[in-house]
Amino acid sequence: MTGTWQLVRLALRRDRVILPIWILLLGLTPMSTVAAYEQLYPDAASRLALSVGAGANPSIAVIYGPAYDLTTAGGFTAWRYGLFLALFAALMSVFTVTRHTRAEEDSGRLELIGSAVVGRYAALTAAVAVAAGANIVIGLAAAAGLAGAGLPTSGSFLLGLGVAGAGLVFTAISAVTAQLTEYSRSANGIACAVLGGAFLVRAVGDSTASLSWVSWLSPLAWPQRAKPFVDDNWWPLGLALVGAGVILAVAYQLVPRRDIGAGLFPARLGPANAPASLSSPLGLACRLQRGSLIGWTIGAVIVAAVFGSIANGISDLVGTSEQVRQIMERMGGAQSLVDSFIAAIAQMIGIVTAMYAVQAALRARSEETAVRAEPVLATGTSRVAWVGSHLAFAVVGSAVLLGAAGLAMGLAHGLRVGDLGQVGGIVAGCLAQLPAVWVAGGVAALLFGLLPQLTTVAWGVVAVFALITLFGPAVQLGQPVLDVSPFTHVAKIPSAEFTATPLLWLAGTAIVLFGVAVAAFRQRDVG
């Protein structure tokens, strides 16, 4: 463990921007719901209607989890935010641990550090400590905010620490995946695949009465299964701590079984002779980016199909509350509730696609820090062609992902209601998110070109866009705040008419961002 404290300080120094963003957004978001709940459901009748409708609808449980008590602000907050806070905390944990372990090995920095007086377990311990500390701070901040808003203290701390517990489990999971492969992208991909599997397992258990026990197999379900503000069961928090400890012990057992820079899964040897397609920058970028695009597309298609199949059950969630109906219209348009729901899901898919666009745009930075860019640029390959080939995947790959997800959601919904004529409109609704996705990818590209040391801030920007878009209407944020997210300006198809002007402005903004990024990269030093 020698050198662990120094590596913790280094990690905190490197994450001095992104970690506070995660903590503020995840820690302070829940408290905003308390006052909104009183406005949305001002009387017992509206609260009872919500509880009966949402509590009895398995389609709604797929999205938010089980509703134990929606007649109180605390029960509503735990139902509305418990799952999504755990999901985002898990993502933060995965990215943080991988960034300070496997990514450091990719770049060669960890081998250099390891040649000094640094213990074999120091890097992993430091990464786990930083991620675990961030989760605990998020949990305490959420608990303090809810208690300060007037909710019972016991339930507030149970919900906050339950979210932190889910984050700790995925901190341990990412510590294991960091030992398995040679590349940080693959480690992140495996951990995110586990996260996606946990979400689907939870969805099956929460929506099927005879299989409710299945939800206990998913750490994402544990914060809600503790029933904060209802029964206040603390033992699921112990389950999270024990689970995280066991998985983390496995990670420590794997560390000495591999060399620094290598993974337990050996890298597959390539052919003796490279194909002709790898002779161009675009061909090389395609080879590097295709696995990520395929993985993101498969995940988006599965999630989109699930949401498409449950769209008809959205009326039970709204119940008799005119305020909630207005929120759905703000999120998805005003033509009908089902169309508004589909438009809102298309928006969510757009946010997920924005995460892919950021990852695709930042692949160039990964190649640069791993010293694989310099040998390529030492040939006749121009800088514009090299960086443009990677940014092309942020642009074109996003369109592929959105189109595939829109088709899956359209087919699932069309088959459920017996009307495949709606497929085209749903696909158009997903593709309408493309200019907003490009803006997010353009921000990542701009950071790569101008401030490469701060490229991780791009993830914080996407998180801000996501939280404003997903939760802003529910907590009744002002329009100037909602306008910060580019997804606010996208036409809510199929529930609203197509409007080209905002999309053209967003596309133009994205073009400027990508253009400035390429121009800046031409002028700066590589590495």
PDB file of all heavy atoms in Angstrom, residues 135-155:
ATOM      1  N   ASN A 135     -18.948   8.702  -3.419  1.00  0.00           N
ATOM      2  CA  ASN A 135     -20.275   8.118  -3.194  1.00  0.00           C
ATOM      3  C   ASN A 135     -20.806   8.459  -1.810  1.00  0.00           C
ATOM      4  O   ASN A 135     -21.996   8.774  -1.644  1.00  0.00           O
ATOM      5  CB  ASN A 135     -20.204   6.596  -3.360  1.00  0.00           C
ATOM      6  CG  ASN A 135     -20.289   6.167  -4.804  1.00  0.00           C
ATOM      7  OD1 ASN A 135     -21.299   6.365  -5.469  1.00  0.00           O
ATOM      8  ND2 ASN A 135     -19.210   5.569  -5.306  1.00  0.00           N
ATOM      9  N   ILE A 136     -19.940   8.382  -0.811  1.00  0.00           N
ATOM     10  CA  ILE A 136     -20.379   8.689   0.555  1.00  0.00           C
ATOM     11  C   ILE A 136     -20.777  10.155   0.678  1.00  0.00           C
ATOM     12  O   ILE A 136     -21.796  10.494   1.302  1.00  0.00           O
ATOM     13  CB  ILE A 136     -19.269   8.332   1.556  1.00  0.00           C
ATOM     14  CG1 ILE A 136     -19.063   6.808   1.584  1.00  0.00           C
ATOM     15  CG2 ILE A 136     -19.604   8.852   2.941  1.00  0.00           C
ATOM     16  CD1 ILE A 136     -17.867   6.361   2.387  1.00  0.00           C
ATOM     17  N   VAL A 137     -20.007  11.049   0.066  1.00  0.00           N
ATOM     18  CA  VAL A 137     -20.341  12.472   0.104  1.00  0.00           C
ATOM     19  C   VAL A 137     -21.677  12.721  -0.599  1.00  0.00           C
ATOM     20  O   VAL A 137     -22.518  13.506  -0.125  1.00  0.00           O
ATOM     21  CB  VAL A 137     -19.217  13.309  -0.526  1.00  0.00           C
ATOM     22  CG1 VAL A 137     -19.643  14.766  -0.670  1.00  0.00           C
ATOM     23  CG2 VAL A 137     -17.955  13.224   0.315  1.00  0.00           C
ATOM     24  N   ILE A 138     -21.886  12.059  -1.747  1.00  0.00           N
ATOM     25  CA  ILE A 138     -23.165  12.200  -2.455  1.00  0.00           C
ATOM     26  C   ILE A 138     -24.317  11.734  -1.569  1.00  0.00           C
ATOM     27  O   ILE A 138     -25.350  12.399  -1.458  1.00  0.00           O
ATOM     28  CB  ILE A 138     -23.135  11.395  -3.770  1.00  0.00           C
ATOM     29  CG1 ILE A 138     -22.232  12.083  -4.796  1.00  0.00           C
ATOM     30  CG2 ILE A 138     -24.547  11.221  -4.338  1.00  0.00           C
ATOM     31  CD1 ILE A 138     -21.987  11.252  -6.038  1.00  0.00           C
ATOM     32  N   GLY A 139     -24.150  10.575  -0.931  1.00  0.00           N
ATOM     33  CA  GLY A 139     -25.202  10.063  -0.065  1.00  0.00           C
ATOM     34  C   GLY A 139     -25.506  10.983   1.096  1.00  0.00           C
ATOM     35  O   GLY A 139     -26.679  11.244   1.411  1.00  0.00           O
ATOM     36  N   LEU A 140     -24.459  11.504   1.746  1.00  0.00           N
ATOM     37  CA  LEU A 140     -24.670  12.405   2.883  1.00  0.00           C
ATOM     38  C   LEU A 140     -25.284  13.728   2.437  1.00  0.00           C
ATOM     39  O   LEU A 140     -26.134  14.288   3.136  1.00  0.00           O
ATOM     40  CB  LEU A 140     -23.343  12.646   3.599  1.00  0.00           C
ATOM     41  CG  LEU A 140     -22.739  11.429   4.319  1.00  0.00           C
ATOM     42  CD1 LEU A 140     -21.389  11.787   4.914  1.00  0.00           C
ATOM     43  CD2 LEU A 140     -23.684  10.912   5.408  1.00  0.00           C
ATOM     44  N   ALA A 141     -24.851  14.234   1.272  1.00  0.00           N
ATOM     45  CA  ALA A 141     -25.421  15.484   0.767  1.00  0.00           C
ATOM     46  C   ALA A 141     -26.902  15.315   0.445  1.00  0.00           C
ATOM     47  O   ALA A 141     -27.730  16.191   0.775  1.00  0.00           O
ATOM     48  CB  ALA A 141     -24.656  15.938  -0.478  1.00  0.00           C
ATOM     49  N   ALA A 142     -27.248  14.189  -0.196  1.00  0.00           N
ATOM     50  CA  ALA A 142     -28.662  13.936  -0.502  1.00  0.00           C
ATOM     51  C   ALA A 142     -29.478  13.808   0.780  1.00  0.00           C
ATOM     52  O   ALA A 142     -30.586  14.351   0.894  1.00  0.00           O
ATOM     53  CB  ALA A 142     -28.793  12.669  -1.356  1.00  0.00           C
ATOM     54  N   ALA A 143     -28.929  13.086   1.763  1.00  0.00           N
ATOM     55  CA  ALA A 143     -29.644  12.897   3.024  1.00  0.00           C
ATOM     56  C   ALA A 143     -29.841  14.220   3.754  1.00  0.00           C
ATOM     57  O   ALA A 143     -30.937  14.524   4.250  1.00  0.00           O
ATOM     58  CB  ALA A 143     -28.871  11.919   3.907  1.00  0.00           C
ATOM     59  N   ALA A 144     -28.792  15.018   3.815  1.00  0.00           N
ATOM     60  CA  ALA A 144     -28.891  16.305   4.501  1.00  0.00           C
ATOM     61  C   ALA A 144     -29.886  17.216   3.796  1.00  0.00           C
ATOM     62  O   ALA A 144     -30.661  17.931   4.450  1.00  0.00           O
ATOM     63  CB  ALA A 144     -27.519  16.965   4.573  1.00  0.00           C
ATOM     64  N   GLY A 145     -29.876  17.206   2.470  1.00  0.00           N
ATOM     65  CA  GLY A 145     -30.810  18.043   1.726  1.00  0.00           C
ATOM     66  C   GLY A 145     -32.256  17.638   1.962  1.00  0.00           C
ATOM     67  O   GLY A 145     -33.130  18.491   2.155  1.00  0.00           O
ATOM     68  N   LEU A 146     -32.533  16.337   1.950  1.00  0.00           N
ATOM     69  CA  LEU A 146     -33.899  15.860   2.177  1.00  0.00           C
ATOM     70  C   LEU A 146     -34.357  16.151   3.602  1.00  0.00           C
ATOM     71  O   LEU A 146     -35.495  16.572   3.824  1.00  0.00           O
ATOM     72  CB  LEU A 146     -33.977  14.359   1.884  1.00  0.00           C
ATOM     73  CG  LEU A 146     -33.789  13.950   0.421  1.00  0.00           C
ATOM     74  CD1 LEU A 146     -33.729  12.433   0.286  1.00  0.00           C
ATOM     75  CD2 LEU A 146     -34.913  14.507  -0.447  1.00  0.00           C
ATOM     76  N   ALA A 147     -33.473  15.915   4.572  1.00  0.00           N
ATOM     77  CA  ALA A 147     -33.827  16.210   5.955  1.00  0.00           C
ATOM     78  C   ALA A 147     -34.057  17.706   6.159  1.00  0.00           C
ATOM     79  O   ALA A 147     -34.971  18.127   6.865  1.00  0.00           O
ATOM     80  CB  ALA A 147     -32.736  15.702   6.892  1.00  0.00           C
ATOM     81  N   GLY A 148     -33.211  18.512   5.505  1.00  0.00           N
ATOM     82  CA  GLY A 148     -33.383  19.951   5.608  1.00  0.00           C
ATOM     83  C   GLY A 148     -34.660  20.447   4.961  1.00  0.00           C
ATOM     84  O   GLY A 148     -35.189  21.500   5.336  1.00  0.00           O
ATOM     85  N   ALA A 149     -35.176  19.683   3.989  1.00  0.00           N
ATOM     86  CA  ALA A 149     -36.428  20.058   3.325  1.00  0.00           C
ATOM     87  C   ALA A 149     -37.651  19.633   4.125  1.00  0.00           C
ATOM     88  O   ALA A 149     -38.786  19.861   3.692  1.00  0.00           O
ATOM     89  CB  ALA A 149     -36.484  19.446   1.931  1.00  0.00           C
ATOM     90  N   GLY A 150     -37.431  18.996   5.269  1.00  0.00           N
ATOM     91  CA  GLY A 150     -38.535  18.645   6.137  1.00  0.00           C
ATOM     92  C   GLY A 150     -38.936  17.190   6.146  1.00  0.00           C
ATOM     93  O   GLY A 150     -39.904  16.817   6.823  1.00  0.00           O
ATOM     94  N   LEU A 151     -38.206  16.329   5.439  1.00  0.00           N
ATOM     95  CA  LEU A 151     -38.535  14.909   5.426  1.00  0.00           C
ATOM     96  C   LEU A 151     -37.943  14.224   6.659  1.00  0.00           C
ATOM     97  O   LEU A 151     -36.979  14.723   7.247  1.00  0.00           O
ATOM     98  CB  LEU A 151     -38.003  14.252   4.155  1.00  0.00           C
ATOM     99  CG  LEU A 151     -38.605  14.745   2.828  1.00  0.00           C
ATOM    100  CD1 LEU A 151     -38.087  13.912   1.667  1.00  0.00           C
ATOM    101  CD2 LEU A 151     -40.125  14.714   2.871  1.00  0.00           C
ATOM    102  N   PRO A 152     -38.499  13.074   7.069  1.00  0.00           N
ATOM    103  CA  PRO A 152     -37.970  12.365   8.235  1.00  0.00           C
ATOM    104  C   PRO A 152     -36.486  12.054   8.090  1.00  0.00           C
ATOM    105  O   PRO A 152     -36.019  11.640   7.021  1.00  0.00           O
ATOM    106  CB  PRO A 152     -38.807  11.080   8.273  1.00  0.00           C
ATOM    107  CG  PRO A 152     -40.083  11.447   7.604  1.00  0.00           C
ATOM    108  CD  PRO A 152     -39.710  12.427   6.534  1.00  0.00           C
ATOM    109  N   THR A 153     -35.740  12.240   9.159  1.00  0.00           N
ATOM    110  CA  THR A 153     -34.286  12.071   9.118  1.00  0.00           C
ATOM    111  C   THR A 153     -33.892  10.635   8.802  1.00  0.00           C
ATOM    112  O   THR A 153     -32.983  10.396   8.000  1.00  0.00           O
ATOM    113  CB  THR A 153     -33.676  12.492  10.464  1.00  0.00           C
ATOM    114  OG1 THR A 153     -34.027  13.843  10.744  1.00  0.00           O
ATOM    115  CG2 THR A 153     -32.156  12.370  10.419  1.00  0.00           C
ATOM    116  N   SER A 154     -34.561   9.673   9.409  1.00  0.00           N
ATOM    117  CA  SER A 154     -34.209   8.272   9.200  1.00  0.00           C
ATOM    118  C   SER A 154     -34.351   7.881   7.735  1.00  0.00           C
ATOM    119  O   SER A 154     -33.439   7.302   7.139  1.00  0.00           O
ATOM    120  CB  SER A 154     -35.087   7.374  10.080  1.00  0.00           C
ATOM    121  OG  SER A 154     -34.793   6.000   9.838  1.00  0.00           O
ATOM    122  N   GLY A 155     -35.498   8.203   7.144  1.00  0.00           N
ATOM    123  CA  GLY A 155     -35.700   7.870   5.737  1.00  0.00           C
ATOM    124  C   GLY A 155     -34.745   8.610   4.832  1.00  0.00           C
ATOM    125  O   GLY A 155     -34.267   8.068   3.820  1.00  0.00           O
TER     126      GLY A 155
END
